[in-house]
Amino acid sequence: MDTLFDTVMLSRLQFAAMAMVHISFSVLTVGLALFIAVMEGLWLRTKDPVYYGHARFWSRLLILNFGIGVVTGLPLEFAFGNNWAPFAARSTFFGEILGTETLSAFMLEAGFLGVMIFGWNRVPPKLHFFSTCMVVLGSSLSVFWIMVANSWMQSPAGVVVDGGRIIVTDFREAIFNPDMMISTAHMYLACLQTSLLVVGGISAWYVLKGRHTAFFARSFQTALIAALVISPLQVWVGDENGREVARLQPTKLAAMEAHWETNLPGQGAAWIIAAWPDEANQKNAWAVEVPYVLSLLLTHSPTGEVKGLREFPQDLHPPILLTFYPFRVMVFAGFAFLGLALWTGWRWKKGALTAERLAGERRLLWAWMAAGPLAWAAVEGGWITREVGRQPWLVYGLVRTGEAATPLPAGAVAASLAGYLVIAGLLTAAFVALAARVLAQGPDPSTLEPPQARPGH
């Protein structure tokens, strides 16, 4: 059994820390780039300078976020080769996909980002808009390739095992593995949802402060329109993703639900709101349950069979507590975002979201400010569920995590983990300080109107 101080566990903690820090920035880059492209496109179509001002203002946060995202993502590549070399030796597919992501998506995004940031007033507006769209395409492709690599680890396909090595026999099948489509859709929507809630939350903060109220009422309304589409769509995709997990990884699903006993014929499996899983005795010490709901969700029948953890060898059980509660954070947050979108839409219908009246909706604005951090928590909760729930496998059914770690001295891994945490903490503090400075300054008056609209141009 792994302990907190052995090499495998320390390598897992290190990779988890790197992934969680990096994902905090990368999700915002994806959605923020799309938001800016929408604003810039609306400016070109309507000639309304407010949209131009928004594209310029949110671009400042995008640069900051992209820069920190790149720096925090680089160590992941090194950790893959350094801490997980036996896995890299057994299968080249994961590394090939990461290389494809770098050469196609990242290079596209980084190359056009320079035009997008420094090209204002230097290149024609339509060429600039094309560059912004390429940044959106590059960041979206990054999500696609990263999820291809990760989903292949969840449901490996298109490979054979030959002499201990995993050989790819069909790249199309490996890329479009059974988990890929639904999990990529779920992750991409999470990027968009997090970004729109951050944009809406920041806009709400400005309105509450009484600063640039008319300007940020526009971005708040745009975030709401996106939320009314994305929030219900994400709930539906998340439900479909859960049903796919039940089909592909039944032990993970049982751990996500702390579901120990397979329900008997004619009896429904309950959905557990909260519980304390007792892994030693293979049961829940206590649980708050809703009868029949788990069967209904997964099989669309109130008495459909849902396999419990006791159906599987105990050494194949993932950590239950660390799978169960992060999943609930994600689920409850998803429904909270849906409720927030519906509440805000109702107030909009009542005419309460105009620039003149929005500041009076104080409870609503505070709720939007709280939703931004909750969105990040939901992303991290979902990612923890996905990765911890796959244990003890690194590649599900093919490679155990314990077999894939490089036998480095535990002290060396602990030292590099500590060093990473210190550097990541400093980078995060720098990001917070710089972002706070951008927000404190507010929109730059010199960028609120396109050059041709200013006197003298």
Side-chain angles (χ1 to χ4, degrees):
M1 180 180 176
D2 298 335
T3 68
L4 186 59
F5 302 104
D6 71 21
T7 298
V8 175
M9 181 55 76
L10 287 167
S11 293
R12 288 173 62 188
L13 288 173
Q14 180 169 289
F15 203 87
M18 290 175 176
M20 292 180 70
V21 171
H22 178 59
I23 201 173
S24 299
F25 298 101
S26 55
V27 293
L28 190 56
T29 297
V30 175
L32 201 51
L34 180 58
F35 180 82
I36 293 167
V38 170
M39 286 296 181
E40 191 174 350
L42 287 171
W43 166 56
L44 290 175
R45 182 178 177 83
T46 66
K47 306 302 180 188
D48 186 340
V50 171
Y51 293 121
Y52 174 86
H54 274 292
R56 297 296 302 269
F57 173 73
W58 295 104
S59 292
R60 295 168 64 191
L61 288 177
L62 176 67
I63 303 169
L64 184 58
N65 196 73
F66 179 82
I68 300 291
V70 170
V71 173
T72 56
L74 289 174
L76 282 166
E77 306 275 351
F78 291 105
F80 173 57
N82 188 56
N83 295 64
W84 304 98
F87 171 51
R90 290 185 65 178
S91 172
T92 60
F93 181 74
F94 190 82
E96 289 165 349
I97 294 300
L98 291 186
T100 303
E101 188 272 336
T102 301
L103 292 175
S104 59
F106 177 72
M107 296 302 290
L108 179 68
E109 182 182 10
F112 279 99
L113 186 69
V115 181
M116 176 185 172
I117 299 305
F118 300 109
W120 293 107
N121 310 328
R122 292 186 173 88
V123 300
K126 289 185 179 178
L127 177 58
H128 189 278
F129 179 58
F130 175 77
S131 301
T132 305
C133 291
M134 289 301 101
V135 172
V136 175
L137 178 61
S139 60
S140 301
L141 281 174
S142 281
V143 175
F144 172 77
W145 287 118
I146 293 300
M147 291 309 298
V148 164
N150 184 268
S151 62
W152 179 79
M153 296 166 70
Q154 308 285 341
S155 61
V159 296
V160 295
V161 179
D162 183 6
R165 286 180 52 80
I166 303 172
I167 310 296
V168 178
T169 57
D170 187 331
F171 268 96
R172 186 191 62 80
E173 192 177 343
I175 290 171
F176 294 97
N177 61 76
D179 180 65
M180 195 279 283
M181 294 297 287
I182 192 69
S183 60
T184 300
H186 195 36
M187 188 66 220
Y188 193 70
L189 287 173
C191 294
L192 301 186
Q193 192 170 41
T194 301
S195 304
L196 73 90
L197 290 169
V198 169
V199 168
I202 291 173
S203 302
W205 178 78
Y206 275 109
V207 173
L208 277 171
K209 290 287 184 181
R211 296 178 56 191
H212 311 285
T213 300
F215 183 82
F216 284 104
R218 185 76 62 90
S219 52
F220 185 83
Q221 292 162 358
T222 306
L224 167 62
I225 293 170
L228 287 171
V229 175
I230 292 173
S231 297
L233 187 59
Q234 179 69 310
V235 169
W236 176 73
V237 170
D239 177 64
E240 291 296 315
N241 198 21
R243 287 160 52 79
E244 198 65 15
V245 170
R247 186 176 71 84
L248 298 172
Q249 297 177 306
T251 49
K252 177 193 285 187
L253 189 282
M256 287 161 57
E257 303 295 351
H259 180 61
W260 296 96
E261 298 279 1
T262 303
N263 53 306
L264 297 174
Q267 296 183 7
W271 188 71
I272 298 174
I273 298 173
W276 188 256
D278 180 354
E279 296 186 39
N281 294 303
Q282 301 282 285
K283 65 178 184 179
N284 293 324
W286 55 265
V288 180
E289 303 177 344
V290 183
Y292 299 103
V293 172
L294 184 58
S295 287
L296 198 60
L297 287 171
L298 295 176
T299 68
H300 293 174
S301 164
T303 57
E305 182 186 89
V306 181
K307 290 190 179 300
L309 281 161
R310 290 190 177 187
E311 294 281 341
F312 309 98
Q314 195 168 351
D315 69 335
L316 295 183
H317 291 184
I320 311 302
L321 194 65
L322 201 51
T323 308
F324 178 79
Y325 276 109
F327 177 62
R328 267 140 192 79
V329 170
M330 180 183 67
V331 170
F332 288 129
F335 280 100
F337 300 150
L338 177 60
L340 179 62
L342 294 175
W343 177 21
T344 314
W346 174 66
R347 296 305 300 157
W348 195 13
K349 188 177 180 182
K350 294 292 182 182
L353 301 191
T354 61
E356 295 75 21
R357 296 181 59 187
L358 182 57
E361 299 290 316
R362 298 188 66 83
R363 285 188 296 178
L364 182 67
L365 295 173
W366 275 106
W368 273 84
M369 288 173 59
L374 184 59
W376 266 306
V379 169
E380 300 289 7
W383 201 250
I384 290 171
T385 303
R386 184 172 177 81
E387 296 304 291
V388 175
R390 193 187 59 231
Q391 302 305 316
W393 302 103
L394 187 68
V395 181
Y396 194 75
L398 295 181
V399 181
R400 284 181 179 256
T401 304
E403 303 167 357
T406 307
L408 297 168
V413 182
S416 64
L417 171 59
Y420 175 79
L421 291 175
V422 170
I423 293 171
L426 292 173
L427 286 172
T428 302
F431 172 81
V432 171
L434 291 170
R437 184 177 178 181
V438 169
L439 296 180
Q441 290 174 341
D444 181 353
S446 67
T447 63
L448 289 180
E449 292 185 351
Q452 60 270 29
R454 297 177 200 156
H457 286 267

